[in-house]
Amino acid sequence: MALPQPTVLDVDTGLDDALALLLALRSPELDVVGVTTVAGNVALPDVLRNTRYVLDTAGAASVPVAAGAAAPLVRPLTTATFFHGPHGLGDIDVSEPTRAPVAEPAAQLLCRLAAEYRGQLTVIATGPWTNIALASRLDSEFAGNLRQLVLMGGAVTVPGNVTPVAEANTYNDPEAAHMVLASGGLPRLIGLDVTLQGLWRPAEQEAARQRVQEQAAADPVARLAVDLLEWYLRADLAAGLAGSPLHDPVAVAAAMWPALFTLEPRHVSVELASELTRGQTVAAPEGRRERLETRDGQSDVVGVETVQPNCQVALKLDGDRFVEHFAARLGLL
Ligand code: RIB
Ligand code: CA
């Protein structure tokens, strides 16, 4: 088996971020060497507390946790307590962790590890991409230094989840999303296009809860996972979905099980100007767009130009196999 990939998760923990952390920590394909935090599903102090709680529960208290951006680059923060609970982990009573975050800010830690592990580091961003944008601003070689950058966010071929056209992470910080897609390195875009194909349904939750209740020796990761999934599923069913899209765990899966995915290179732009369509991720069809010229206050189509891809968009996921692997790794099968 190949050596584990040194990996940093950039999270806004959040229920599905917590599940993504557990999946990464339980997977021999990945070696989690750091976790960076960003405000998103809840405010940064809650994200920091939740993240350390999850790592401590999984026996990963030695993994450094860094504080990152407390707000998007330009806009006010939009949290999502309906889906994630008042403090981000449903109704779980999260004790205050004893250890402090590291002193190094998230963007600096990302740049330092990318340089130290040049060409080998995997970064998986599952919150708004603010820290990734700040890292690219801090070091223009950041993206190029990575083995792979996996971004959860966007909705290229399907409707959005926050608005009819925008997904939560790109909606929350569209300016950061724009910067990250302009930074090079052909990141993988794991958007709603595929995360809606990886649903955790009531039957799976029932089976997992039973299995955890029957376990003689309690597996703390499995217990935590079932509790996280309980609130998450209830909220998604209340929102009219048939199950819970495992958004952030799907992004972790993309880093370690690429064979489950179909990806295509595309040029994706992020809407920044309109409030109605803010954060929409728009792909140039067939990599072409019309070239407009404006003269005397009037525009004219003067040709068609090709646009180079700036990311690889995930379009298909083998959802059944993903959910099976996910449940097995978390001790839910
Ligand atoms: O749209 C799904 C994304 O928004 C996930 O990362 C979820 O945690 C929320 O941040
Ligand atoms: Ca998230």
Side-chain angles (χ1 to χ4, degrees):
M1 193 176 169
L3 285 175
Q5 303 174 40
T7 300
V8 175
L9 280 99
D10 185 66
V11 292
D12 63 330
T13 322
L15 293 166
D16 59 330
D17 301 81
L19 292 162
L21 284 166
L22 294 179
L23 177 61
L25 291 165
R26 275 289 174 101
S27 293
E29 294 88 345
L30 306 180
D31 173 17
V32 180
V33 295
V35 177
T36 51
T37 56
V38 61
N41 289 319
V42 281
L44 191 64
D46 283 333
V47 173
L48 271 167
R49 199 192 52 243
N50 296 345
T51 303
R52 286 174 292 161
Y53 174 78
V54 171
L55 293 179
D56 292 356
T57 305
S62 60
V63 173
V65 175
L73 294 180
V74 179
R75 325 257 176 167
L77 175 67
T78 305
T79 54
T81 54
F82 171 77
F83 288 102
H84 297 274
H87 299 287
L89 289 189
D91 52 7
I92 295 172
D93 189 16
V94 177
S95 49
E96 194 59 44
T98 44
R99 68 180 168 127
V102 294
E104 193 175 24
Q108 244 169 276
L109 183 138
L110 282 162
C111 291
R112 179 174 61 75
L113 291 179
E116 276 175 23
Y117 288 99
R118 195 177 302 268
Q120 291 172 48
L121 187 71
T122 289
V123 172
I124 306 170
T126 64
W129 307 344
T130 321
N131 289 336
I132 310 299
L134 291 171
S136 300
R137 190 188 277 169
L138 200 62
D139 178 358
S140 58
E141 291 181 16
F142 168 69
N145 279 342
L146 298 177
R147 168 180 173 153
Q148 56 174 339
L149 173 58
V150 181
L151 302 164
M152 195 283 128
V156 175
T157 59
V158 297
N161 55 0
V162 174
T163 72
V165 295
E167 178 281 331
N169 288 338
T170 55
Y171 175 87
N172 223 326
D173 198 343
E175 283 74 19
H178 171 76
M179 277 177 64
V180 170
L181 290 176
S183 315
L186 278 190
R188 293 180 189 189
L189 196 64
I190 308 300
L192 302 184
D193 311 85
V194 282
T195 63
L196 291 172
Q197 298 171 36
L199 286 192
W200 184 257
R201 295 170 192 271
E204 275 127 13
Q205 179 65 6
E206 186 49 40
R209 177 159 287 293
Q210 258 185 30
R211 170 162 166 77
V212 166
Q213 276 165 358
E214 282 160 15
Q215 271 175 359
D219 172 356
V221 166
R223 281 184 185 280
L224 176 57
V226 162
D227 289 345
L228 296 165
L229 286 158
E230 191 82 18
W231 178 294
Y232 196 46
L233 183 59
R234 205 182 314 133
D236 282 324
L237 294 177
L241 297 177
S244 274
L246 295 169
H247 304 290
D248 296 344
V250 170
V252 173
M256 57 187 185
W257 302 321
L260 297 184
F261 293 80
T262 305
L263 295 113
E264 280 182 18
R266 294 277 174 92
H267 185 95
V268 172
S269 307
V270 183
E271 173 58 37
L272 302 177
S274 152
E275 195 47 40
L276 184 64
T277 56
R278 157 185 167 180
Q280 182 176 11
T281 42
V282 181
E286 311 292 329
R288 285 195 297 274
R289 68 180 168 210
E290 291 185 348
R291 187 153 55 86
L292 292 175
E293 275 181 15
T294 306
R295 243 173 286 121
D296 303 328
Q298 192 175 321
S299 296
D300 182 30
V301 176
V302 295
V304 175
E305 59 190 7
T306 48
V307 271
Q308 291 306 313
N310 59 1
C311 62
Q312 302 176 64
V313 180
L315 294 171
K316 271 197 207 139
L317 166 68
D318 184 338
D320 291 344
R321 277 182 65 206
F322 159 71
V323 170
E324 205 180 303
H325 289 356
F326 166 80
R329 287 282 161 94
L330 267 53
L332 305 176
L333 259 189

